[in-house]
Amino acid sequence: HMFYRAINHNDISSIGYCQLKDNKVIKRFKEPVLFPEFDYEKEGVEDPRITLLNQTFYLFYTAFDGQNACIAYATSNDLINFVKKGLLSSNITYKEASEIFRQENIKEEYFIWKLHLETKFKELNLLWDKDALLFPKKINNQFALIHRIRPDIQIIYFQNFKDLTDDYWKAYLKELKKYILLEPKFQFENQYIGGGCPPIETEDGWLLIYHGTEDTPFGNIYHAAAALLDLKNPLKVLGRLKEPLFSPKAPWEKSGVTNNVVFPTGAVIKDKRLYIYYGAADKLIAAKSVDLTELLTQLKKNP
């Protein structure tokens, strides 16, 4: 089952659905599964990631209103009928968040990205929060959710979705340094990083496929990357590839709506291989596979 982002001629995105068998499309809905209905998502519902946990499918997506990008989610029991649950991220403005960051001595890069977004979106208000990935198992009896406030990847823990109030987020932001999962570290991710595929449980740890954005003289290049996280404490990083897992190489990955993009958002294991599904230049959807044991071995060689 694949959920994908599609954009119409008015540049409004929605989420489509198709079924794959042996990596060939055997069924595809003519209408979107999710589309903009509310003011907070009026300019698009984007970048879906889905996780099955305790018989419930949780589909997380980015809700975009033209200025603000926030995390929203919907649930389903049958993968067809989804109930939107609204925004998950906070109503905290970038101005409020910046005050908290300043008081807590959060690194300068967070302020740089605030200025960058304010330049691009003149009416920027809320703290941008994207790339939500839910772990498919509770950790210490809590939901564990990966998200991204530029430039890093962070994690939150909570007992119930209703607990994610503005007070929760303010307290969380004050301790943000404790919850940074990954920071940009290598040349291929020198601008920022973000979540990719929902974490996959292996004997060696949680396998996280993420994306890294490289700032080059020729513009941004998006790469796919991999990290290995401790099963009991995902904040403990066990391994991380020093080079991209894969990068834009094919003509259709290098040229499209947005050039030089490989953007992984879903992965499955089949016959001991990891199949990664990704957006290519924001125009096509493609897949690559890698031997799972080989990948885990390489990750463990780079603690």
Side-chain angles (χ1 to χ4, degrees), residues 35-95:
F35 51 88
E37 296 178 87
F38 305 105
D39 284 345
Y40 63 79
E41 58 186 15
K42 63 185 179 181
E43 292 296 318
V45 295
E46 308 175 354
D47 301 340
R49 276 92 166 195
I50 192 162
T51 297
L52 174 63
L53 176 57
N54 295 339
Q55 280 84 50
T56 298
F57 293 99
Y58 294 88
L59 192 152
F60 295 86
Y61 62 94
T62 299
F64 185 56
D65 66 3
Q67 281 90 30
N68 304 293
C70 300
I71 299 169
Y73 77 110
T75 60
S76 174
N77 295 318
D78 59 9
L79 285 179
I80 297 174
N81 300 294
F82 283 87
V83 177
K84 287 184 178 178
K85 298 293 186 176
L87 290 177
L88 190 112
S89 39
S90 70
N91 285 313
I92 296 173
T93 65
Y94 247 117
K95 184 178 180 181

Side-chain angles (χ1 to χ4, degrees), residues 51-198:
T51 297
L52 174 63
L53 176 57
N54 295 339
Q55 280 84 50
T56 298
F57 293 99
Y58 294 88
L59 192 152
F60 295 86
Y61 62 94
T62 299
F64 185 56
D65 66 3
Q67 281 90 30
N68 304 293
C70 300
I71 299 169
Y73 77 110
T75 60
S76 174
N77 295 318
D78 59 9
L79 285 179
I80 297 174
N81 300 294
F82 283 87
V83 177
K84 287 184 178 178
K85 298 293 186 176
L87 290 177
L88 190 112
S89 39
S90 70
N91 285 313
I92 296 173
T93 65
Y94 247 117
K95 184 178 180 181
E96 291 175 285
S98 294
E99 279 301 312
I100 295 173
F101 294 161
R102 190 171 289 107
Q103 291 169 11
E104 303 301 325
N105 293 317
I106 302 294
K107 63 184 183 182
E108 185 182 8
E109 284 82 355
Y110 282 85
F111 298 97
I112 292 172
W113 278 109
K114 172 183 180 290
L115 294 173
H116 172 82
L117 290 167
E118 284 177 336
T119 301
K120 188 175 181 180
F121 300 96
K122 294 180 180 178
E123 296 180 37
L124 179 68
N125 184 28
L126 300 178
L127 181 66
W128 267 45
D129 200 353
K130 301 179 70 175
D131 297 328
L133 314 168
L134 184 68
F135 281 78
K137 180 183 286 186
K138 287 190 176 182
I139 297 174
N140 297 322
N141 296 315
Q142 292 184 303
F143 288 102
L145 183 85
I146 289 172
H147 67 121
R148 195 279 303 279
I149 301 170
R150 287 183 184 179
D152 302 328
I153 295 175
Q154 303 88 9
I155 189 170
I156 62 172
Y157 296 101
F158 53 97
Q159 294 284 351
N160 196 298
F161 282 86
K162 68 181 181 183
D163 297 336
L164 298 178
T165 62
D166 287 349
D167 287 339
Y168 170 94
W169 283 107
K170 286 178 183 176
Y172 170 79
L173 291 176
K174 287 180 180 178
E175 297 188 305
L176 186 66
K177 285 188 278 191
K178 288 171 51 178
Y179 298 103
I180 294 174
L181 188 71
L182 294 174
E183 299 177 271
K185 188 175 182 181
F186 306 113
Q187 177 62 33
F188 73 89
E189 54 188 28
N190 64 5
Q191 191 167 62
Y192 59 82
I193 56 176
C197 310

